[in-house]
Amino acid sequence: MEIRRAASARNLPALTRPDGTPVRVLVVDDEPDLTEVLCGTLRYEGWLVCGATDGASAVAAARDFEPDAVILDIMLPDFDGLTVLRKLRAERPHVCVLFLTARDSVEDRIAGITAGGDDYVTKPFSLEEVLARLRGLLRRSGMSREVADESLLIVGDLSMDEEAREVTRDGEIIDLSPTEFELLRFLMRNPRRVLSKAQILDRVWSYDFGGQAHVVELYISYLRKKIDAGRTPMIHTVRGAGYILKPVTA
């Protein structure tokens, strides 16, 4: 399957659910490699993503995952995407659906839209186009909002106003020291990404790794006491690799 990649880098506002939690997208395609590529692209947006390769698993996954949007291939090995759409809409009537298919005739487009699909992209496609159409559907449906203020970082229920230097989790203000603030800022700018102690030292303390791992460990422990105390943890240790900040999933 050919997938056209746009060369230009995106610089778009973050898109979240209205409550600030990550957008949820279900990707359904019978080609595992294509599903993996699409899932990876959407995760890069900071969204929660679930993949399925047939209609039955897509319907089952939607019940547990509760997606805001679905990228749905029409040609599936068990039953077609139009049937999947009807089953999804019976339980989640407002879910956004972007059809993804090799069929390019006017009749097929009309059939997809008539069945209740919100938009239609044909293969081969640009990942940028799929993402742009999906963002447009989510915005128009009211199921998401843009974080237009570039000084505002949001990861799950954790938010940081970089200009006001204010941090909140689930609406509760968290008081941080200047170093704790810079460490958290680095983690929040790289959600779901494992950051090594060397990277953290270089970005937060501005010097090369030279046996000062205990400094990182110490400040991570400080952050945990303030960010995670009494709550489901967001800061995780990846043994032998570093640390990762992940939003809490329902």
Side-chain angles (χ1 to χ4, degrees):
M1 170 58 59
E2 178 188 358
I3 302 173
R4 298 192 298 269
R5 297 177 182 269
S8 59
R10 297 189 309 273
N11 185 23
L12 299 173
L15 199 66
T16 72
R17 282 176 160 181
D19 64 0
T21 58
V23 169
R24 291 171 175 258
V25 183
L26 174 63
V27 178
V28 186
D29 195 284
D30 63 347
E31 298 181 51
D33 289 345
L34 177 56
T35 300
E36 183 178 349
V37 169
L38 285 166
C39 287
T41 298
L42 301 181
R43 289 191 183 102
Y44 185 77
E45 294 296 306
W47 299 350
L48 297 180
V49 186
C50 180
T53 55
D54 58 60
S57 60
V59 173
R63 292 193 184 104
D64 296 330
F65 186 62
E66 298 183 343
D68 303 303
V70 181
I71 297 178
L72 181 59
D73 189 14
I74 286 186
M75 299 295 291
L76 295 171
D78 46 2
F79 43 86
D80 64 27
L82 300 182
T83 303
V84 174
L85 173 61
R86 286 193 292 271
K87 292 177 179 292
L88 292 179
R89 283 275 168 80
E91 298 187 18
R92 296 185 63 79
H94 302 298
V95 67
C96 301
V97 175
L98 175 65
F99 276 125
L100 184 68
T101 180
R103 295 177 173 178
D104 194 25
S105 71
V106 173
E107 291 79 7
D108 288 325
R109 290 175 181 267
I110 292 174
I113 299 301
T114 302
D118 298 293
D119 206 346
Y120 198 112
V121 176
T122 57
K123 304 174 183 178
F125 57 84
S126 161
L127 292 175
E128 293 285 353
E129 179 185 7
V130 171
L131 182 58
R133 287 178 180 267
L134 199 57
R135 288 174 64 97
L137 290 179
L138 287 163
R139 285 197 304 269
R140 290 194 295 273
S141 71
M143 299 182 72
S144 68
R145 67 181 178 90
E146 284 187 348
V147 182
D149 186 349
E150 295 181 357
S151 70
L152 187 63
L153 300 176
I154 295 178
V155 180
D157 62 355
L158 181 65
S159 66
M160 171 183 285
D161 187 326
E162 295 181 283
E163 290 188 0
R165 298 188 71 83
E166 182 177 272
V167 174
T168 62
R169 182 165 181 192
D170 195 24
E172 180 182 339
I173 295 177
I174 298 171
D175 185 33
L176 300 178
S177 71
T179 302
E180 291 166 350
F181 185 89
E182 292 304 322
L183 174 56
L184 183 61
R185 175 168 23 199
F186 186 40
L187 293 172
M188 292 186 70
R189 285 181 173 176
N190 297 274
R192 298 185 183 82
R193 177 184 174 191
V194 177
L195 301 173
S196 70
K197 293 175 183 177
Q199 289 175 306
I200 293 172
L201 279 169
D202 182 59
R203 293 296 185 92
V204 179
W205 281 270
S206 301
Y207 57 80
D208 294 333
F209 182 68
Q212 303 298 321
H214 66 281
V215 174
V216 177
E217 295 167 2
L218 182 63
Y219 274 87
I220 286 288
S221 71
Y222 291 161
L223 268 188
R224 280 179 166 146
K225 290 176 182 176
K226 295 184 176 182
I227 300 299
D228 290 340
R231 305 178 177 94
T232 304
M234 294 182 67
I235 303 172
H236 303 270
T237 300
V238 181
R239 184 169 296 182
Y243 302 96
I244 184 170
L245 180 75
K246 297 191 294 185
V248 175
T249 58

